[in-house]
Amino acid sequence: MAEAPDKAGDPEHTPGGKDTAPDSRETAPDGKEAATGFPLLTVLGLMAGIFAVGSEELVVSPLLVDMAEAFDTTVAVMALSVSTYGIGTAVGALLFAPLGDRVSRRLTLLAGMAVFIVGTVLCALATGPGVFFTGRALAGLATGAFVPAAYAFVGDQIPFRHRGRAMGIVVSSWSLSLVLGVPVGAYIGQWTGWRWTFGVLSILGAFVMLVLLRTRDQRRPADGPPEAAGPAARGWTRSAARVLLLPRVAVYVLATFLNMLGFYGMYTFLGSALDYRFGIDSPLTSLMILLYGLGFATSFATGKWADDQGKERVLVGLLAGLVPALVVIPLVARWTPVLVLCLFLWGAMQSLVVTLLSTLLSECSHRHRGTVLAFYSLATNIAVALGAALLGPLFTAHGLSAVGWTCAGITLVAFGLSGWAYLHGDERNPPDARREKVMAHED
């Protein structure tokens, strides 16, 4: 799922201990303001890369039945490939994210996409579950390397006056992978075989590499390298422990983990349940996944509404709504019109929950925002791994309804945590007062 990068233009902490806003101009070596246009090719490459890895992560759900039959195994066993991918992503982020700070973000992007291509080709050509799982692990490692580097690359290479627009386009690729990538991948799998789905994704990965190789650096040498290498990296353990003690960070990280565990537990097996409902060759499964994706894309419109109403209050209400939704979806699978509505509403609620949790965490600390969001990413990817692994046997033995009840119970705990944070929070205080309070705690 989408990791929330720092918003362009937020104050950045400097070694001197002061928060200074970045200058709104790009400076060329001769001291004059650089006149650079919007770097469309760079943004296109990053957008296509995140679209590819996002589609790879999510497209397995509607293909599980076909893959289980091809390898003569069960859906629960093949669902473990989702866990493998999630573990690979978490490990990849921890191992390779520092490479961009110390060596080159462009090299990290290219290496990550190269490994993604190798892993995806292995999935397409797999002769058994072992080879397929190896390919998924490699693709997960590549995702863990590529996504953080892509967000950082925007900050390093995109001129400041274009950075907000560029970041918005790049982050929107996650929604696009749900709305377009998963349904298209499912259609390809149904009409030409699931192997071709991974084949097409590997071709898309090659296109991304070609685009990134053709991009040029937008920032000037005077800008210098990223400031974060060295001491910040060496003090990560101390910073991480300190961050977890900040107000509401641990609560929201745990709520993120539980929400994503409930989401992936249900979503992983939704495609298989719909295949059993409509038939393996029916296009209705892909259509249902598309409707969920369309609901997920509504956060573009609902985000402003959440700002107006209060992010913490809206989060509590949405998590309360997700609890019955996860129970109802398996029960209404027989009534297609009702199922359509429920899937769309589920996507809309889940999308805004993800947006609000990442935003609220990013606001918990201005000085340690990167470390806070690293915990957010780690919680998400552990949930990806555990959701399929823990709920696969339950789905095999008792079906989607049992999974729905379990995921609803998990989400209920997340609702309780968000409610506690809201009751003990300070959302009603003006933003400046809240920021002063956070910075005082950090000092």
Side-chain angles (χ1 to χ4, degrees):
M1 292 299 289
E3 298 174 28
D6 293 352
K7 294 181 181 179
D10 276 347
E12 297 175 357
H13 183 62
T14 60
K18 296 180 181 180
D19 290 308
T20 58
D23 190 78
S24 60
R25 299 174 298 174
E26 295 299 327
T27 306
D30 60 2
K32 296 180 181 179
E33 185 177 350
T36 55
F38 185 75
L40 181 60
L41 190 62
T42 299
V43 173
L44 177 63
L46 297 176
M47 180 180 180
I50 291 183
F51 174 79
V53 300
S55 299
E56 169 96 1
E57 178 179 348
L58 298 168
V59 78
V60 167
S61 175
L63 302 176
L64 282 176
V65 174
D66 288 340
M67 291 189 296
E69 290 184 352
F71 295 135
D72 193 25
T73 186
T74 66
V75 167
V77 170
M78 293 310 301
L80 292 175
S81 67
V82 179
S83 302
T84 303
Y85 192 95
I87 293 172
T89 301
V91 172
L94 293 174
L95 290 180
F96 300 115
L99 180 65
D101 291 333
R102 298 169 185 168
V103 183
S104 166
R105 300 213 198 277
R106 186 186 298 275
L107 177 61
T108 305
L109 290 170
L110 291 172
M113 193 49 58
V115 175
F116 173 82
I117 294 170
V118 172
T120 306
V121 169
L122 274 180
C123 290
L125 301 179
T127 56
V131 178
F132 184 82
F133 278 41
T134 301
R136 289 287 287 175
L138 287 174
L141 284 170
T143 299
F146 186 90
V147 174
Y151 291 149
F153 196 74
V154 172
D156 291 346
Q157 296 292 325
I158 306 299
F160 180 78
R161 62 181 174 278
H162 299 307
R163 201 171 299 156
R165 177 184 173 195
M167 187 67 81
I169 294 173
V170 171
V171 173
S172 70
S173 303
W174 291 104
S175 295
L176 191 63
S177 66
L178 262 175
V179 174
L180 182 62
V182 175
V184 170
Y187 272 119
I188 293 173
Q190 288 172 352
W191 293 107
T192 62
W194 61 267
R195 297 179 186 274
W196 278 101
T197 299
F198 293 95
V200 170
L201 287 173
S202 66
I203 294 172
L204 179 58
F207 167 77
V208 172
M209 286 197 69
L210 179 62
V211 171
L212 291 176
L213 286 169
R214 291 178 61 86
T215 58
R216 296 180 300 173
D217 287 350
Q218 299 291 324
R219 302 294 294 276
R220 300 298 190 258
D223 295 328
E227 196 176 14
R234 291 194 296 269
W236 191 90
T237 303
R238 182 189 303 173
S239 176
R242 198 174 168 195
V243 160
L244 285 177
L245 297 177
L246 292 173
R248 297 177 296 168
V249 169
V251 173
Y252 280 136
V253 168
L254 182 56
T256 296
F257 169 74
L258 293 170
N259 168 252
M260 298 306 291
L261 182 62
F263 163 70
Y264 276 102
M266 173 66 85
Y267 183 84
T268 298
F269 301 102
L270 176 65
S272 300
L274 294 176
D275 276 341
Y276 295 144
R277 162 71 175 85
F278 297 114
I280 294 178
D281 296 327
S282 173
L284 287 176
T285 295
S286 299
L287 180 60
M288 294 297 117
I289 299 294
L290 173 61
L291 288 166
Y292 170 84
L294 290 174
F296 196 89
T298 58
S299 61
F300 289 109
T302 57
K304 186 179 184 305
W305 170 76
D307 284 336
D308 295 338
Q309 298 298 317
K311 290 186 283 291
E312 292 177 338
R313 180 168 58 180
V314 172
L315 175 64
V316 173
L318 289 172
L319 287 171
L322 282 175
V323 173
L326 291 168
V327 174
V328 167
I329 288 172
L331 300 178
V332 301
R334 295 178 178 274
W335 297 282
T336 302
V338 182
L339 179 63
V340 166
L341 178 62
C342 288
L343 289 177
F344 181 85
L345 291 176
W346 179 37
M349 289 190 292
Q350 178 64 27
S351 174
L352 193 50
V353 165
V354 170
T355 300
L356 291 175
L357 281 170
S358 60
T359 302
L360 288 168
L361 276 169
S362 73
E363 293 176 354
C364 285
S365 171
H366 295 269
R367 183 169 299 174
H368 304 289
R369 181 178 288 129
T371 306
V372 172
L373 291 173
F375 278 112
Y376 170 83
S377 176
L378 187 63
T380 297
N381 288 301
I382 292 175
V384 172
L386 293 180
L390 296 179
L391 295 178
L394 184 65
F395 175 75
T396 300
H398 302 289
L400 191 66
S401 183
V403 171
W405 278 99
T406 303
C407 292
I410 293 170
T411 305
L412 182 63
V413 180
F415 160 74
L417 289 171
S418 67
W420 182 91
Y422 174 66
L423 292 175
H424 292 80
D426 51 2
E427 188 177 61
R428 287 167 291 186
N429 292 339
D432 290 342
R434 279 187 315 213
R435 179 175 176 180
E436 289 175 4
K437 181 177 180 181
V438 169
M439 293 182 67
H441 189 280
E442 291 173 340
D443 291 336

